[in-house]
Amino acid sequence: MSRPAQSLPTGLSAEEASIRLARDGTNELPRQAKRTPLRIALEVIREPMLALLIAGGVIYLVLGDLSEAVILMILALFSVVITVVQEARTERVLEALRDLTSPRALVIRDGQRERIAGREVVAGDLLVLSEGDRVPADGRVIECQSLQTDESLLTGESVPVRKVAAVTVAEEAALPGGDDRPYVFSGTMVVRGSGLAEVIATGPRSQIGRIGQSLGELITEPPRLKREMGRLVRVFAIGGGVISLLVMILYGLYRGTWLEALLAGIAVGMSMLPEEFPVVVTIFMAMGAWRISRARVLTRRAAAIETLGAATVLCTDKTGTLTENIMRVAELRRPDGQVYRASDEALPDVFHDLARFSILASAREPFDPMEKALHAFQPDGAVHQWQLVRAFGLHPGLLAMSNVWQTADDDELVVAGKGAPEAIAGLCGLDAAGRDRLASDADAMAAEGLRVLGVARATAVRPALPEDQRGFAFEFLGLVGLADTLRASAPAAVAECRTAGIRVVMITGDYPVTARAIATQAGIDANEIMTGDELAAMDDADLARRIEATTVFARIMPQQKLRIVEALKAKGEVVAMTGDGVNDAPTLKAAHIGIAMGQRGTDVAREASAIVLLDDDFGSIVKAIRLGRRIYDNLHKAVTFILAVHVPIAGLALLPLVFGLPILLGPVHIAFLEMIIDPVCTLVFEAETEEDDIMRRPPRDPERPMFSLAFISRGVIQGGLALGAVVLMLGFALRAGLSVDAVRAVTFMALVAVILSLVLVNRSRAASILEAIRRPNRALVLVFLAVAVVLTLGLALPFARHLFRFEAPSWPMTALALSAGVIMLAGLEGLKWLTGRWYRWRHAEPSPRAPAST
């Protein structure tokens, strides 16, 4: 839009604004249909694992086992509450976006300036923009004076961008990022100057609105473990139900006592009912979230915990993630070649004028992050005693700015200028040799990832001030290099990711030179850099080929970040993505693991993520991955134990039918065993410390199922050996001519002993029992003591013996029964030694999924 310079803007009329507001809607994101807590709870209850948890509680309640029923119901309620809270928080994502898109706005209507609510801004309104304002809608700049905006909310880059009036440049796409463009965007901040902009897009049609819409359309993938566990539970439940019914029918037909047949069917069903699976997953995820929170990491979706251990690629933003998102002065260079770096101890006197005049060329109370960095580098109280006489702003024809100051001591005016090195070289009238030397120094600083400013000084007298900065006789003082400094923890975190087999990929909107410098400092291989323009020109097949070798992406737009993550996922990678801006929100939600910054991150980024770093420390990501691997390892051990322990229990429930023996295990015995199994699964294995090689092994193959044939076979083999040890004790008891109740007691003690042996064996995949014992586990000691006490009381107290139908065996038979655990332990330790040697041999070879160097 253009208009005569002398005309006064009138803006829309109040009537026209009302018509457009009714036609286009308010300047905010449309409200999505909310999921109420009740609706979320009903969705959760329909999950197979939780439904089984509730069904198990109902079964125990029908059987009269109130304590077990209450425990299962409490766990089910706990799972529902946690899920409802987490899902309800996710529903606040778009609310956070609406808050950003509805600031107060100063508009011109009917020729008058009027302050209105941001949600009432309409297309065609004239926005009056001033330093410190947040832009309420996307607009085309029609007038401006030294206008700069901070668009990091949309681009992720901390350096403000210059704006120009649309009448001075050719029309182009209204996209954020880049200097000298005639557009401003909703949610961004004016950090310098002033201007007038015509609104071109509001609400969902704005850039930030489009991000909100794409965020609402993304569907978070269900975690693999949840899907696998659901399938396993269904198989066990169906199989157990069929076998229980078959046992009851066969028992009734061949023995003729249908009451005992019902009890036998119930016992077999309880022995095969895998209610421990949902219990274990629920407790492990809740305890995992608590453990990770102690490392200053908030887990918003518990399912991300198990995914952490499988992460193969970590996509990280540069600004605010690898870097601190705070500009600092990093280097000063004088024309004579002297260099000062911020890491040096003290600023030499010869650099004081360069530092001082860089501040004098800045605003007294700056909004611009680079000017804030200049003020913080060398605070100068004397400057605040001077009077600003005139300010010359930068413009596309001259990328420099100057301030004219009246000193406190005399009438001489001091002029300070700063800007692009080539612009300052022109103002100072440098010869060809001087320009070449300046350009060489500026290029060297830019190659280090620095933002470079030239600084100059001049003098003037009243009233003969020129109309343009070019009228001053400037003297070149040198160059100032500013950097968004790398986080101190980033290089070590990147190195540990590499050791753990995780490929680190940097995705930034910054320039390739800066991206390469930061990546190199962080330890990321920057040999292959892809720009946003190159990415836009590629089809999906080309991107799939290039993405395997590319570790740095520069000048990337927000929608391109999402495309990169989707391409990595299509290659079979498990992708973790870090970010902190609104522009990162869709990618955070699309990634397998979205990791947001807690302190500097926006509400939108935090709510879209699965994990939030409370201290914004990049190193915390590695701690979270380490804990994620530990949790997955321990969950693996617990499930192996569950599979193994159900074999001897189910075997003892079925053997009497096969060999015509009295029923050895009834519902009360199964319930007692569950009181051992449940705390072992949920407390003992959850508390296990990490394996020694946890961060030296590659990520597990995401395509390899947790419950593979080899995994199930391992549990079944352990369980088969356990059943063999118990049957051996049963045979001794029968040959000794003991009564049925004594045989039952001996067999039950042997079963408890082998269960405890299974616990000890599964504490570690490859470490020996002696190595595992040296690792402290207070929960293990408490559970073992509790089992010993309860079992002793069950054999010693008359009413307990009557309840369990036990007869106290002799001491020799008691020792014989308990020796089943020792036999079992020795056999499984030997098997572990053999499989451990195979495991170490296999993992000594290069991993087929070893990632490219980062």
Side-chain angles (χ1 to χ4, degrees), residues 531-600:
T531 65
D533 290 340
E534 292 174 327
L535 178 63
M538 292 181 183
D539 58 22
D540 290 343
D542 291 335
L543 179 58
R545 284 191 295 270
R546 287 280 305 276
I547 205 165
E548 290 185 346
T550 304
T551 52
V552 177
F553 295 83
R555 302 303 291 165
I556 297 298
M557 298 299 294
Q559 62 271 24
Q560 292 177 321
K561 290 185 180 183
L562 184 58
R563 188 180 173 200
I564 292 168
V565 168
E566 295 291 359
L568 287 168
K569 290 168 63 178
K571 298 291 288 185
E573 305 285 0
V574 176
V575 182
M577 170 72 189
T578 69
D580 57 2
V582 171
N583 59 303
D584 296 322
T587 315
L588 289 173
K589 189 171 182 181
H592 294 104
I593 312 160
I595 306 173
M597 300 295 140
Q599 293 180 351
R600 292 184 176 87

Side-chain angles (χ1 to χ4, degrees), residues 662-743:
I663 295 177
L664 295 175
L665 298 181
V668 67
H669 303 100
I670 305 295
F672 176 82
L673 293 173
E674 293 296 336
M675 293 177 65
I676 300 174
I677 296 170
D678 287 349
V680 165
C681 296
T682 55
L683 299 178
V684 174
F685 285 115
E686 194 283 326
E688 277 299 316
T689 55
E690 64 193 41
E691 300 283 349
D692 293 337
D693 68 339
I694 196 165
M695 292 299 284
R696 296 196 301 271
R697 66 175 95 129
R700 69 179 187 274
D701 188 344
E703 297 302 318
R704 185 184 66 199
M706 178 180 183
F707 308 117
S708 61
L709 180 60
F711 171 81
I712 295 175
S713 299
R714 180 179 179 180
V716 171
I717 289 172
Q718 288 187 4
L721 292 174
L723 178 60
V726 174
V727 170
L728 183 63
M729 295 303 110
L730 172 61
F732 279 123
L734 291 174
R735 289 180 64 87
L738 301 181
S739 66
V740 173
D741 288 349
V743 169

Side-chain angles (χ1 to χ4, degrees), residues 34-41 43-44 80-96 300-301 607:
K34 280 192 173 183
R35 295 162 66 210
T36 65
L38 178 60
R39 179 181 172 186
I40 296 172
E43 292 175 0
V44 174
V80 171
V81 170
I82 291 295
T83 306
V84 168
V85 170
Q86 290 176 339
E87 292 291 332
R89 292 180 66 185
T90 302
E91 291 296 309
R92 291 163 42 200
V93 176
L94 297 180
E95 285 292 334
R300 295 193 60 255
R301 288 195 289 272
E607 294 295 337

Side-chain angles (χ1 to χ4, degrees), residues 131 143-149 161-163 190-195 391-395 400-401:
E131 200 168 275
E143 282 184 8
C144 68
Q145 182 177 5
S146 303
L147 182 64
Q148 295 184 30
T149 62
V161 292
R162 297 185 304 271
K163 299 299 176 183
V190 179
V191 297
R192 175 182 291 281
S194 59
F392 295 87
L394 55 81
H395 53 83
M401 60 199 317

Side-chain angles (χ1 to χ4, degrees), residues 311-312 496-503 629 695 697-699 849-851:
T312 59
E496 191 161 4
C497 284
R498 184 186 300 112
T499 303
I502 301 170
R503 176 183 166 207
R629 290 189 174 191
M695 292 299 284
R697 66 175 95 129
R849 288 191 55 83

Side-chain angles (χ1 to χ4, degrees), residues 380-393:
D380 192 339
V383 174
H384 294 280
Q385 304 302 319
W386 295 359
Q387 179 182 354
L388 181 64
V389 176
R390 186 171 177 183
F392 295 87

Side-chain angles (χ1 to χ4, degrees), residues 1 129 139-145 147 163-168 181-184 194-198:
M1 172 182 174
L129 304 174
R140 181 187 295 106
V141 179
I142 57 177
E143 282 184 8
C144 68
Q145 182 177 5
L147 182 64
K163 299 299 176 183
V164 295
V167 293
T168 65
R181 293 184 177 180
Y183 297 101
V184 291
S194 59
L196 191 65
E198 179 187 13

